[in-house]
């Protein structure tokens, strides 16, 4: 079975008085979800707009990703499937990333 869709994601940034706010908006054709993020420039730091934009945008996208994961978990539960365990860090269940040994990553 082949399935193809196109989802649109837009990231919108606004800066005022040293605070950058971001919205990450996902439109999948039937639902619109919005993630939000912000960053604030420390008054003692040099103001670099690109850094504030990156921080606020990444936080908005992380918020959006969490909302999408929770929606998928609800949809799985609605059809009687067992959702994956909660994700942390790099998306690995209950972990901050792949386990590594002194000889390298575990496969």
């Amino acid at each position: 079975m082949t399935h193809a869709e196109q989802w649109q994601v837009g990231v919108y940034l606004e800066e005022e008085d040293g605070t950058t706010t971001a919205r990450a908006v996902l439109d999948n054709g039937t639902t619109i979800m919005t993630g939000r993020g912000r960053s604030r420039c420390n008054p003692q730091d040099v103001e670099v707009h690109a850094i504030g934009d990156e921080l606020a945008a990444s936080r908005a996208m992380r918020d959006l990703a969490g909302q999408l994961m929770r929606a998928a978990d609800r949809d799985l539960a609605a059809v009687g499937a067992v959702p994956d365990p909660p994700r942390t860090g790099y998306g690995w269940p209950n972990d901050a990333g792949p386990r590594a040994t002194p000889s390298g990553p575990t496969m």
Side-chain angles (χ1 to χ4, degrees), residues 2 10 19 25 27 39-40 54 58 60-61 64 67 71 74 78 83 98:
T2 301
T19 299
V25 181
D27 182 351
S39 65
R40 184 185 59 81
E54 291 164 348
S58 67
M61 288 188 281
L64 178 59
Q67 291 178 43
R74 284 190 303 273

Side-chain angles (χ1 to χ4, degrees), residues 91-102:
W92 294 77
N94 301 316
D95 199 319
R99 299 218 186 277
T101 62

Side-chain angles (χ1 to χ4, degrees), residues 26-46:
L26 167 67
D27 182 351
N28 69 7
T30 57
T31 303
I32 295 175
M33 298 175 128
T34 303
R36 301 187 186 285
R38 42 180 287 225
S39 65
R40 184 185 59 81
C41 183
N42 184 320
Q44 280 92 19
D45 291 344
V46 175

Side-chain angles (χ1 to χ4, degrees), residues 53-107:
D53 291 350
E54 291 164 348
L55 288 169
S58 67
R59 290 169 180 162
M61 288 188 281
R62 182 176 54 203
D63 180 43
L64 178 59
Q67 291 178 43
L68 194 55
M69 182 61 71
R70 288 187 296 278
D73 287 344
R74 284 190 303 273
D75 292 345
L76 283 168
V79 297
V82 178
D84 286 341
R87 295 184 181 344
T88 60
Y90 297 96
W92 294 77
N94 301 316
D95 199 319
R99 299 218 186 277
T101 62
S103 61
T106 304
M107 297 292 175

